[in-house]
Amino acid sequence: MTAQAELRSPFRVSKRLAFTGLLLPAVGVITIFMIAPVAIVFVYSFLEPARYGGVVWNFSVEGYLQILFERDFVDGSLQFSADYLVILWRSVFQAAICTVLCLMISVPTAYFIATRSERTKPIWIFLITVPYWVNLLIRTIALLFILRDDGPLNKAIMMTGLTTSPLPLSYNNFAIGLGLVYSFLPFMVLPLYSAFERFDFRLLEAAYDLYASRRVAFFKIVLPVMRPGLIAGSLLVFIPSIGSYLAPDILGGGKTLMIGNLIGTQFQGAHNWPFGAALSMILLTVTLIVLIWMARRSARKNTGY
Amino acid sequence: MANARMKDIRAFSGFGSIAVAGVLFLYLPILFLCVYSFNDGRSVSQWSGFSFRWYITVFGNSGIKAAAMNSLTIATIAASVSTVLALGAAMATVNRRFKGETLAYATLTFPLMVPEIVTAVASLVFFVSLGVRLGFSTILIAHIVFCIPFAYLPIRARLEGMDATLNAAAADLYASPIRAFWRITLPLLAPGLMSGWLLAFIISLDDFIITALVAGPGSTTLPLHIYGMLRLGITPEVNAISTMMLVGSIVLLAIAGVLGRSSKNS
Amino acid sequence: MVIAAFRRNTALGSDEQVRVERSSGETAPAIQIAAEVTGLQKIYNPSTPQAFQALKDINLTIRSNEFFTLLGPSGCGKTTLLRILGGFEAMTEGTCRIFGQDVSLLPPEARPVNTVFQQYALFPHMTVRRNIAFGLEMLGRPKSEVASVVDRMLALVSMTDYADRKPDHLSGGQRQRVALARALAPQPKLLLLDEPLSALDLKLRQKMRLELKALQRETGITFIFVTHDQEEALAMSDRVAVLSDGRLQQVGTPEEIYEQPQSRFVADFIGESNLLCATVNRIDGALVEFRLAGLGSVNLNCSEILQVGQEVTLSIRPERIALSAVRGQCGLGPAVIFDRTYLGNAVEYHLRAGEQTLTVRSPRGGLRGLQDFAPGDSVFLAFEPNAPKVLTT
């Protein structure tokens, strides 16, 4: 009888069953359909492109070189080209701006929600949670709907008489930036809220007792204590912003691309799989480095006490 | 008396206004979209009276109906399969120390860490290189994979919060492990399972980019269909179908929220 | 199959149960053995750097119909021992028998034993009635029998009015009663109780003590009770086992444990004791003269085998020492009072004699108005010859 071995496991499942019967299916599915595909992308990033999608099995770093250089058609020499670098830079820049804006809105909002009464708090949280889960495509369409040249916002502005022609609110970098904020704002508010909720408000009382003004108390006490939460929230916005596809695609009108769209294009129209694979690897590497750094940080913090 | 007029010690002036503005910013576009879906006219800019006509048009559109059916079928199957897989994984990993624990956890949450566009191209490359024909089945597989962590995390959290002595008590009262699972673990886990399932369902319905790459020419889902309709610009039909999806997600969310709260109380 | 083995029909409190004469001789023929643990070792994480031996070489016999208590400070292994008996924890070595049956390898559901858990572990999604019925249902008893037993249990713990409530809507004391009824419902021969009173407040705890004891008498079920509260242990038990550091220190009746501690640990842990260093000065048959550092010499009747010059510990309870201003017959001292604490029904004096400090508790009032002392007073100590206990370990 294996009963003795099972006694101490929480659901009294034998070790063998736990691994083969319970854990293996989920881990197996992810390994086969997620990890293996990413590995294939890694391999493809070092191959040559076939003419109509797919790859030719010759080793090549052309995919990575293409990010910085353009190959001359005539003599095949490499010439520096900033085209793709601009797109990468735009992705980082847009994501950074988006993160800062989200911080500026989220910190007061999350703090405000955390200091509501137990009765009104759930309502506020529900209000923030709904957009978090509602279809991103539809939310992006909704934003485009009001930003259009003849959309409600432009109409309202023209009605005030400030301008007679519609302002260019859509199909540009401004629209993409706003779209990113609109997409990922809830990603920041919710974790910040749970961080603020753990904040010990007696610290504020102590600060006021020691003659701090409200302003000083907020910047010298609240924000420094909340630092880990602010960093976590920022990453939760920054990471999906960089790789975002829908906001630039729909609000940018296809003109001003970000890396996500550039990758997508390689597999849809442009048929340069190795180049797309190389870009994917770069995006993935950046993301994983940031995530691992964050995990290390929080792990160190937890053991530090 | 002076106390009553004293400001709440925690309050900072202006924060409330920013919070209200933030919520308005999140909701105004959605609200406008919804309101204009009831616009009678062909134009999406000019209000010309209240009407359900675009909803009727949407319901008469067989393409939309087929896409919606596809979406619901995929979301139902993907949510169910991923919930079962996640339940197993959670049961095997919770409160158990084993070799490769970190690796298992990293694998289970891996789909959350990879940017969506990378998942999308990886899935595409994988299926194409294996020679699998893109279509319904490839969408389904991709959805099951990225739904697993969304189901796994809430189930795991709920299992971790569960009092382990309840299982010991069941065993003490002559319940075999299987009966203890059915009579104690599963009923207590049910709200967590339901909200995990609902979140996976919403996530599956929500997905655009991964589906777009692995869908292939034949099959489509509701987001893909709406995206296709956008080529003609924002039309009243787009408004109507979007509003319906919004209402659907909000209802599902409310159910998940109610389930989550009732489970917290017990 | 194993479960079927104890689907017996002993009714609670039936007359068939053989009453065992308590505290009579060790080997009364009517005594049945309820549980027996031999050569038990428990090591957590064996052969790893975190290896930890929780129980060391435990041999223990628990008699049928006994209220048996495992007493010890937290971390002493008493809960581990109980969990091993319940089947929730595996032994590293040794055997465990319950009513003669070797249950060492049986899972909890195959043992004729039920447990009252420390935090009760009531199933939150079931009503009181369903909680109590659970064990019987798992044993496959017919519905009518389940219903009648549950009703009887509800009445037994006076919870009939709350039968349809969920555990969340019960007070701590009520939950405790439900947990008890749930564990008693399958009519176990042996009930394990893991600090069942520790979650209750003082008043309720004292009340439940009496109830538990009465219940045990009434049902005749063997109770194995775990507690760190010595007062609880002394008040309720037929016999007590004191554990420390994974080792069994002493097993005996509450009187034996209190009056005849066999080790420094037991003397110190149970109640309060003055532990005085003494040297054997002279042995004259059963009469031994001890020299106490800073206090002088004292003659005691002593059954232990001692040698002249041996260092021992004399353990004496604070209330067994009398103080007087003059040296009496067997008076020790003088000692100097450095603190006096008023306790209502008694006065506690703290004394210093040489390098030793002592605590003496004198009752207040009484027939012969006892003398009161103040800090700074020099006093002499007196006690009956059988009051100190000689400890060699």
Side-chain angles (χ1 to χ4, degrees):
Chain A
M1 198 163 192
T2 56
Q4 283 293 285
E6 294 169 17
L7 289 180
R8 287 199 64 220
S9 88
F11 300 102
R12 306 197 309 129
V13 180
S14 72
K15 221 174 199 169
R16 231 232 222 113
L17 178 67
F19 285 99
T20 56
L22 298 176
L23 186 57
L24 200 63
V27 169
V29 163
I30 291 176
T31 309
I32 295 170
F33 294 107
M34 186 88 202
I35 296 175
V38 169
I40 292 177
V41 171
F42 176 73
V43 173
Y44 276 21
S45 72
F46 292 104
L47 298 178
E48 283 175 7
R51 185 169 276 213
Y52 299 108
V55 285
V56 176
W57 281 84
N58 289 328
F59 177 82
S60 156
V61 288
E62 195 75 14
Y64 292 93
L65 284 179
Q66 248 180 303
I67 296 166
L68 287 176
F69 302 101
E70 209 169 15
R71 201 169 279 281
D72 195 294
F73 274 121
V74 186
D75 59 5
S77 66
L78 288 173
Q79 278 172 338
F80 178 75
S81 158
D83 290 1
Y84 295 130
L85 219 50
V86 166
I87 292 176
L88 294 189
W89 164 247
R90 186 185 296 130
S91 306
V92 173
F93 181 75
Q94 286 278 20
I97 296 268
C98 165
T99 308
V100 172
L101 284 175
C102 281
L103 267 178
M104 284 165 62
I105 303 171
S106 301
V107 168
T109 305
Y111 184 91
F112 182 75
I113 296 175
T115 53
R116 291 309 88 196
S117 72
E118 290 307 317
R119 218 163 38 79
T120 49
K121 218 184 260 179
I123 302 171
W124 281 96
I125 293 168
F126 185 75
L127 283 175
I128 302 290
T129 315
V130 166
Y132 186 95
W133 291 105
V134 156
N135 198 308
L136 188 58
L137 172 67
I138 285 166
R139 290 174 59 220
T140 312
I141 292 173
L143 191 63
L144 178 65
F145 182 79
I146 66 161
L147 291 180
R148 284 171 311 143
D149 284 355
D150 52 354
L153 196 58
N154 258 322
K155 275 209 197 122
I157 293 171
M158 286 197 289
M159 225 142 48
T160 63
L162 287 173
T163 167
T164 47
S165 59
L167 294 173
L169 297 175
S170 57
Y171 302 133
N172 52 26
N173 281 333
F174 165 78
I176 296 177
L178 197 67
L180 291 178
V181 174
Y182 190 62
S183 302
F184 303 120
L185 182 61
F187 286 44
M188 179 91 93
V189 178
L190 291 175
L192 280 190
Y193 156 75
S194 58
F196 277 127
E197 212 176 30
R198 287 193 300 269
F199 182 75
D200 181 0
F201 286 100
R202 285 170 306 184
L203 294 183
L204 268 188
E205 291 173 17
Y208 293 145
D209 183 57
L210 297 165
Y211 317 111
S213 70
R214 279 181 186 262
R215 195 188 165 76
V216 169
F218 187 75
F219 284 101
K220 293 238 153 141
I221 306 296
V222 179
L223 284 190
V225 170
M226 289 293 106
R227 221 176 98 107
L230 297 180
I231 291 173
S234 302
L235 291 174
L236 283 177
V237 168
F238 187 77
I239 288 173
S241 297
I242 283 199
S244 169
Y245 183 89
L246 277 176
D249 186 64
I250 289 174
L251 296 163
K255 286 178 296 188
T256 42
L257 290 171
M258 283 171 64
I259 185 170
N261 312 82
L262 189 60
I263 293 172
T265 314
Q266 303 314 311
F267 290 89
Q268 286 167 317
H271 294 316
N272 191 341
W273 285 23
F275 180 48
L279 289 169
S280 301
M281 280 300 117
I282 288 173
L283 181 59
L284 181 63
T285 309
V286 170
T287 308
L288 289 184
I289 286 173
V290 170
L291 285 175
I292 289 167
W293 173 75
M294 192 162 96
R296 283 267 171 84
R297 227 185 115 87
S298 64
R300 203 171 47 231
K301 206 168 157 45
N302 288 342
T303 54
Y305 282 106
Chain B
M1 283 304 103
N3 263 344
R5 281 194 291 138
M6 216 176 102
K7 252 172 97 179
D8 178 357
I9 191 139
R10 306 175 305 175
F12 290 105
S13 56
F15 278 22
S17 336
I18 295 176
V20 171
V23 168
L24 281 180
F25 169 59
L26 286 173
Y27 279 87
L28 274 183
I30 299 177
L31 217 62
F32 266 101
L33 189 83
C34 294
V35 168
Y36 272 85
S37 71
F38 294 104
N39 189 5
D40 191 41
R42 177 85 246 174
S43 152
V44 285
S45 319
Q46 217 65 45
W47 181 259
S48 46
F50 182 87
S51 153
F52 281 114
R53 67 180 274 207
W54 301 113
Y55 287 88
I56 296 162
T57 315
V58 164
F59 274 110
N61 184 326
S62 59
I64 291 180
K65 272 201 288 195
M69 264 323 282
N70 246 355
S71 267
L72 290 176
T73 314
I74 288 169
T76 309
I77 301 175
S80 308
V81 174
S82 60
T83 303
V84 171
L85 290 174
L87 173 64
M91 298 262 305
T93 50
V94 164
N95 296 335
R96 195 196 271 275
R97 301 267 84 87
F98 58 93
K99 238 193 232 162
E101 188 187 354
T102 320
L103 188 68
Y105 185 76
T107 308
L108 288 166
T109 51
F110 188 64
L112 286 181
M113 296 191 267
V114 178
E116 258 194 283
I117 182 72
V118 177
T119 308
V121 304
S123 305
L124 169 73
V125 162
F126 177 73
F127 290 128
V128 169
S129 63
L130 283 186
V132 180
R133 216 169 62 85
L134 298 179
F136 183 87
S137 54
T138 49
I139 301 177
L140 186 58
I141 291 172
H143 280 223
I144 289 172
V145 173
F146 70 71
C147 283
I148 289 174
F150 284 96
Y152 172 73
L153 291 176
I155 294 172
R156 184 192 157 100
R158 178 116 185 112
L159 272 180
E160 269 172 349
M162 203 140 87
D163 186 357
T165 54
L166 290 181
N167 259 286
D172 182 59
L173 295 163
Y174 315 115
S176 64
I178 291 169
R179 295 180 89 180
F181 174 77
W182 280 107
R183 295 287 298 267
I184 309 298
T185 310
L186 209 55
L188 288 173
L189 198 59
L193 276 178
M194 267 316 282
S195 57
W197 188 90
L198 279 172
L199 295 184
F201 187 81
I202 293 173
I203 287 294
S204 166
L205 274 188
D206 183 56
D207 180 71
F208 170 76
I209 183 63
I210 297 171
T211 316
L213 277 155
V214 298
S219 45
T220 183
T221 62
L222 208 44
L224 288 196
H225 195 90
I226 295 172
Y227 185 81
M229 288 163 78
L230 269 188
R231 270 190 300 245
L232 305 173
I234 296 181
T235 59
E237 287 100 327
V238 170
N239 284 358
I241 180 73
S242 300
T243 306
M244 280 156 65
M245 278 195 78
L246 276 175
V247 172
S249 325
I250 292 171
V251 168
L252 287 179
L253 260 176
I255 295 172
V258 169
L259 285 175
R261 186 159 329 152
S262 72
S263 69
K264 225 177 265 169
N265 288 344
S266 68
Chain C
M1 269 169 296
V2 190
I3 294 173
F6 54 84
R7 283 182 190 165
R8 68 218 180 276
N9 48 8
T10 45
L12 283 172
S14 80
D15 299 309
E16 296 157 275
Q17 295 270 356
V18 185
R19 287 276 164 207
V20 175
E21 185 111 3
R22 283 166 233 268
S23 70
S24 70
E26 304 288 321
T27 50
I31 289 176
Q32 224 193 327
I33 289 170
E36 193 178 14
V37 171
T38 42
L40 164 59
Q41 311 275 355
K42 173 69 189 176
I43 303 171
Y44 285 110
N45 307 317
S47 60
T48 66
Q50 297 94 44
F52 169 70
Q53 183 153 14
L55 290 170
K56 295 162 194 159
D57 200 29
I58 304 281
N59 293 292
L60 193 60
T61 306
I62 293 149
R63 300 168 197 151
S64 183
N65 293 20
E66 192 170 38
F67 195 122
F68 191 89
T69 298
L70 298 171
L71 173 66
S74 61
C76 72
K78 57 190 189 302
T79 295
T80 307
L81 181 52
L82 193 80
R83 288 175 61 79
I84 285 172
L85 285 166
F88 308 114
E89 204 88 57
M91 287 180 282
T92 312
E93 244 175 73
T95 50
C96 173
R97 293 175 172 279
I98 290 173
F99 287 98
Q101 182 197 5
D102 186 349
V103 297
S104 306
L105 293 174
L106 295 185
E109 67 265 29
R111 297 189 183 205
V113 166
N114 290 117
T115 308
V116 177
F117 291 87
Q118 189 167 12
Q119 301 295 331
Y120 314 138
L122 296 177
F123 304 128
H125 58 303
M126 296 181 187
T127 60
V128 167
R129 185 185 295 280
R130 307 261 304 129
N131 261 288
I132 298 174
F134 189 86
L136 295 164
E137 287 172 5
M138 290 296 123
L139 286 173
R141 298 286 167 79
K143 276 213 169 85
S144 56
E145 188 196 329
V146 173
S148 74
V149 173
V150 170
D151 283 338
R152 203 140 42 88
M153 287 301 139
L154 284 167
L156 185 70
V157 296
S158 338
M159 286 294 292
T160 309
D161 294 344
Y162 301 91
D164 296 317
R165 293 214 189 166
K166 295 253 179 94
D168 282 346
H169 302 282
L170 298 177
S171 71
Q174 290 168 336
R175 278 183 218 179
Q176 210 271 330
R177 288 201 182 105
V178 176
L180 201 59
R182 186 179 71 174
L184 287 172
Q187 299 159 6
K189 290 187 193 169
L190 180 58
L191 190 72
L192 308 178
L193 302 100
D194 187 5
E195 306 219 15
L197 305 182
S198 65
L200 306 178
D201 62 46
L202 182 66
K203 272 269 157 59
L204 201 55
R205 200 154 65 217
Q206 285 170 340
K207 184 165 164 264
M208 287 307 296
R209 250 184 229 171
L210 297 174
E211 285 188 22
L212 262 184
K213 193 163 184 187
L215 198 72
Q216 195 264 335
R217 290 260 157 79
E218 230 172 274
T219 57
I221 294 173
T222 310
F223 276 31
I224 302 181
F225 185 93
V226 161
T227 184
H228 64 270
D229 182 338
Q230 38 150 318
E231 208 182 308
E232 217 166 84
L234 297 181
M236 297 166 78
S237 321
D238 295 321
R239 286 199 306 151
V240 179
V242 183
L243 273 124
S244 159
D245 212 12
R247 248 180 242 288
L248 214 47
Q249 298 287 332
Q250 189 173 351
V251 184
T253 64
E255 283 87 349
E256 285 165 359
I257 297 282
Y258 189 83
E259 306 287 349
Q260 310 284 322
Q262 279 164 13
S263 66
R264 273 186 76 111
F265 175 83
V266 176
D268 199 30
F269 182 70
I270 310 289
E272 256 180 283
S273 264
N274 292 299
L275 296 173
L276 306 172
C277 302
T279 318
V280 178
N281 214 20
R282 190 156 47 87
I283 302 175
D284 184 6
L287 199 68
V288 181
E289 189 189 75
F290 295 95
R291 196 173 49 236
L292 284 86
L295 284 167
S297 294
V298 62
N299 288 313
L300 298 171
N301 277 314
C302 186
S303 55
E304 277 85 355
I305 298 154
L306 300 167
Q307 293 173 322
V308 172
Q310 191 179 349
E311 306 241 317
V312 296
T313 303
L314 292 188
S315 155
I316 182 162
R317 303 284 177 193
E319 69 272 15
R320 302 292 292 266
I321 304 176
L323 297 180
S324 68
V326 292
R327 185 186 291 270
Q329 272 180 330
C330 67
L332 288 169
V336 178
I337 294 172
F338 66 91
D339 189 41
R340 173 187 179 277
T341 309
Y342 175 68
L343 296 176
N345 58 356
V347 175
E348 198 170 87
Y349 299 102
H350 296 274
L351 290 75
R352 187 174 290 123
E355 288 183 354
Q356 308 210 55
T357 60
L358 291 98
T359 304
V360 174
R361 200 173 298 131
S362 302
R364 288 286 286 175
L367 291 173
R368 309 172 292 149
L370 283 160
Q371 209 178 337
D372 199 1
F373 299 96
D377 290 357
S378 262
V379 291
F380 294 93
L381 288 68
F383 41 77
E384 287 165 25
N386 64 348
K389 174 79 190 152
V390 180
L391 302 172
T392 52
T393 50

